[in-house]
Amino acid sequence: MHYYLVPRKKPSLLSLIIPCYNEEEVLDILKKRLRETILKFQVKTEIILVNDGSSDLTIVGLMQWAKEDANVRVISLARNFGHQIAVTAGMDHARGDAVVVMDADLQDPPEIILEMLKKYEEGYDVVYGQRLARSGESFFKKVTAWAFYRLMKMLVHKDLPLDSGDFRLISRRCLDALNGLRENHRFLRGMNAWIGFPQTPVYYNRDPRVAGETKYPLQKMLKLAMNAAVSFSPLPLRFSLGLGIVVAVIGFAVGVYALFRAFQHFILQMPIVYNPGWATIVTLICLIGGSILISIGILGEYVARIFEESKGRPLYVIEFTEGIRVQKSPVKKR
């Protein structure tokens, strides 16, 4: 896709949004790395650290960091709301002309932000990091990640970039549009693709975690994939329709076969060669019953999301903040 780009100056303020969940072990390394990197930006930078209901001493480290650095702001959520919601909380309170979302584990090198800023100056509104290699990860993790991104591109949006996580720079006008999307089940990568605006990648090799364990095991990856697929695409519903058609065709074929055998036996007086019938009946019952349950389950996922959206609850609840003034949200009238 071709864009009409208008060059712009560097942002007067850059906001770094970093969600943290049980990242006690990486905070000192992250702090040192960011201090060294931010000096190269030559841009005034605020760091928004979102504590996503950590059960370790992460919040203690974040508050200590905020006391040491006036440019550090802390948002502590009342419980664990999940990575996508924690990022949303940071974006809601970012003041910069551009924001960068990155994880605390330093698998996505902060030095890449320098290249993102150059693309921002060229006129791009979204600059996303696209991984060329993934160091320190198992073969199984690499294969499942490869399959995940290609499945999401098929289900969510045709412009969803492959091998690209939430590590990206977003301009203020794009962020304002993104903040206007308030659905509960959030897949920010898909939402970024949906809103449009000029977007471009920067390529890099992903590093291993500097400490601690991954916060996105296979179970969470599958949950994110299901959430993205159901929230962004009617394809699962169409799959259930297709499954019903396949089962109906199989049932029709078995019925034709049964009539044909009956014709052979009663009209042509041909003997039946081993046709007790029970296996066919059990197979059809399992096929029909299974397809019905799958279809009801898929439909239930959509209904559950409608139910949760209808409640009108806030996306997150803030326990306390440091260096951020939180405005009260208006109460929705019923």
Side-chain angles (χ1 to χ4, degrees), residues 158-271:
K158 61 181 178 62
D159 293 329
L160 187 71
L162 298 174
D163 304 314
S164 175
D166 292 309
F167 182 42
R168 64 190 60 215
L169 179 147
I170 306 171
S171 71
R172 169 50 61 179
R173 68 171 183 167
C174 182
L175 180 65
D176 290 341
L178 196 59
N179 285 342
L181 308 179
R182 305 307 291 180
E183 58 255 43
N184 284 278
H185 298 277
R186 305 176 75 76
F187 182 59
L188 292 171
R189 304 165 208 182
M191 294 164 69
N192 270 286
W194 182 86
I195 59 176
F197 290 101
Q199 307 193 14
T200 190
V202 292
Y203 300 97
Y204 70 103
N205 294 322
R206 199 177 198 212
D207 296 330
R209 281 184 63 93
V210 293
E213 298 179 355
T214 178
K215 303 305 183 293
Y216 256 99
L218 179 61
Q219 182 182 357
K220 284 193 175 182
M221 285 288 287
L222 291 174
K223 184 178 179 181
L224 182 64
M226 171 63 77
N227 183 47
V230 175
S231 298
F232 274 85
S233 173
L235 197 59
L237 286 174
R238 291 170 184 161
F239 167 78
S240 66
L241 173 62
L243 182 62
I245 292 173
V246 169
V247 172
V249 169
I250 293 174
F252 178 78
V254 172
V256 170
Y257 172 75
L259 287 174
F260 174 72
R261 294 303 299 269
F263 174 78
Q264 284 182 320
H265 179 66
F266 293 108
I267 305 300
L268 302 179
Q269 298 299 314
M270 294 178 63

Side-chain angles (χ1 to χ4, degrees), residues 297-309:
I298 293 173
L299 185 60
E301 286 291 331
Y302 283 89
V303 173
R305 279 158 174 72
I306 295 171
F307 171 67
E308 292 185 15
E309 293 289 344

Side-chain angles (χ1 to χ4, degrees), residues 4 68 119 150 172 301:
Y4 178 71
E68 297 171 1
K119 295 292 184 181
R150 279 141 189 87
R172 169 50 61 179
E301 286 291 331

